[in-house]
Amino acid sequence: MSQNLPDIAFFHKLAEVASKQTLPRYRSSDNLNINTKPKEGFRFDPVTDADREAERAIRALINEAYPEHAIIGEEFGTTGSGPIKWVLDPVDGTRPFLCGIPVWGTLIGLLYKNRAVMGMMSQPFTNELFWADGKQAWTKGPLGEMQLHTRKNVTLSQAILHTTSAELAPNYPQVNFKELSEQTLMTRFGGECYAMAMLAAGQIDLCFEFSLQPYDIVALIPIIEQAGGVVTTLTGQRAESGGTILASANAVLHEQALKVLNF
C-alpha cells in the first residue's frame, strides 16, 4: 500500500473540524438555510449549510495537508486526480439531522486505487467515532474505546435486518426485500449510516440499501470489512461505486441474504 496514505489521527482531525460546523446547527434553525436538490425517487432531498460548511472545512484541511490527493464530495463534486481519493459525505442523513434524531453522521472515506481502505464515521452529538485504520475497525465514545467485531455465527432466521427506508421499494420490483424481511428475526428502519456502524459493532446483522452513491458507502466499507463483515452490490461486486448495496455480518449470512434478494 502507498506510503503516502495518512494515519488515522488525521481522520480524527477531519471529524473534529466537521463537527464544529454541524453541531452548532443541529437542533437549531440558526445558519441552516434548508434547500432541496434533485434526486431520483425523492420529492424532497434536503441540503443545508451544515452539509456545505462541513465539507468546506474538511476539504480545506485535506488540501493543506495533502494537496496531491483527489477529493470527491457530495456537495462540491470531484477535484484533483490520482490513486488516492477522499470521499466525503459531510452530513449523511440530512433528514434525521433536520428532525433532531442523532442517526446522522459525517462520513470520511479514503480510496487507494479505487478500493476503500480507510474510513471514519463521526456522530458528534452522541460523541461517538467509528473508524477503520487499514487493518482493524474501532469505536470510541461514552463506553470507552474498543475494537469492532461483527457477529459471526448468526443464522438468517436470527438476523436483525435494517434498511433506511422502504420508500424506494416499488422502484425495485426485481429486489425481493419483502421475502428477506420475512425470513429474518426483525426489520428496523431509519438508521442511516449509524445502522451500518451498528452492524460493524455486532448489533445489527444485515443492512440493505436500494440506492446509494459512492459518498454514502465508501467510508463505511472498510469499517465493516475490517470488523469482519462483507459489503457488496446486489450482484456480489465491490460496492465502492454505490448502487444497490447489502452489508452483512459475515460471509455465510451474506451469501444467504443475496440468494433471497435475487430470487
Side-chain angles (χ1 to χ4, degrees):
M1 190 176 292
S2 169
Q3 297 303 306
N4 293 324
L5 294 184
D7 61 28
I8 201 63
F10 187 68
F11 284 74
H12 286 260
K13 291 180 182 178
L14 296 176
E16 183 178 358
V17 298
S19 71
K20 291 179 180 178
Q21 300 300 325
T22 56
L23 270 183
R25 295 176 169 92
Y26 183 55
R27 296 184 182 174
S28 171
S29 58
D30 295 341
N31 301 317
L32 202 53
N33 296 320
I34 303 166
N35 304 116
T36 187
K37 53 188 177 182
K39 186 174 184 179
E40 184 178 357
F42 291 94
R43 179 172 52 84
F44 175 61
D45 187 38
V47 60
T48 73
D49 281 351
D51 301 80
R52 289 181 284 258
E53 296 308 318
E55 185 169 322
R56 285 192 179 102
I58 297 170
R59 281 176 175 270
L61 201 53
I62 294 171
N63 286 331
E64 180 182 353
Y66 299 99
E68 71 279 13
H69 290 184
I71 303 174
I72 303 169
E74 179 176 12
E75 306 309 327
F76 300 111
T78 301
T79 56
S81 61
I84 302 175
K85 299 182 179 71
W86 296 86
V87 185
L88 313 175
D89 192 345
V91 179
D92 183 84
T94 304
R95 289 176 180 81
F97 183 96
L98 293 177
C99 295
I101 302 170
V103 293
W104 57 275
T106 295
L107 298 181
I108 304 166
L110 192 72
L111 295 171
Y112 178 62
K113 295 183 177 179
N114 295 318
R115 190 181 183 98
V117 292
M118 300 175 74
M120 168 76 75
M121 194 285 266
S122 166
Q123 212 315 315
F125 184 76
T126 60
N127 195 28
E128 291 178 287
L129 296 167
F130 303 84
W131 70 88
D133 60 14
K135 296 180 180 179
Q136 298 171 321
W138 300 85
T139 184
K140 183 177 181 181
L143 299 179
E145 182 173 329
M146 64 195 77
Q147 192 175 347
L148 293 170
H149 298 284
T150 60
R151 291 214 291 172
K152 296 296 184 286
N153 299 316
V154 62
T155 64
L156 189 61
S157 63
Q158 298 170 328
I160 297 172
L161 170 64
H162 177 276
T163 190
T164 295
S165 173
E167 188 176 359
L168 291 178
N171 298 337
Y172 294 83
Q174 74 279 16
V175 178
N176 203 1
F177 179 78
K178 183 175 183 294
E179 180 66 22
L180 182 62
S181 180
E182 290 173 350
Q183 290 194 33
T184 52
L185 181 66
M186 68 175 183
T187 304
R188 302 303 300 165
F189 301 90
E192 307 281 345
C193 59
Y194 200 88
M196 294 279 190
M198 289 300 97
L199 188 148
Q203 302 295 131
I204 292 173
D205 304 298
L206 295 165
C207 287
F208 177 77
E209 296 296 340
F210 289 94
S211 179
L212 295 182
Q213 297 298 319
Y215 47 74
D216 298 316
I217 191 63
V218 165
L220 298 166
I221 292 171
I223 296 173
I224 293 169
E225 289 183 340
Q226 292 168 36
V230 181
V231 189
T232 73
T233 65
L234 197 62
T235 58
Q237 304 303 306
R238 295 289 306 178
E240 279 85 351
S241 296
T244 303
I245 304 297
L246 176 69
S248 306
N250 59 72
V252 173
L253 185 63
H254 193 78
E255 183 178 353
Q256 292 172 340
L258 280 180
K259 285 182 179 178
V260 175
L261 288 167
N262 285 301
F263 181 75

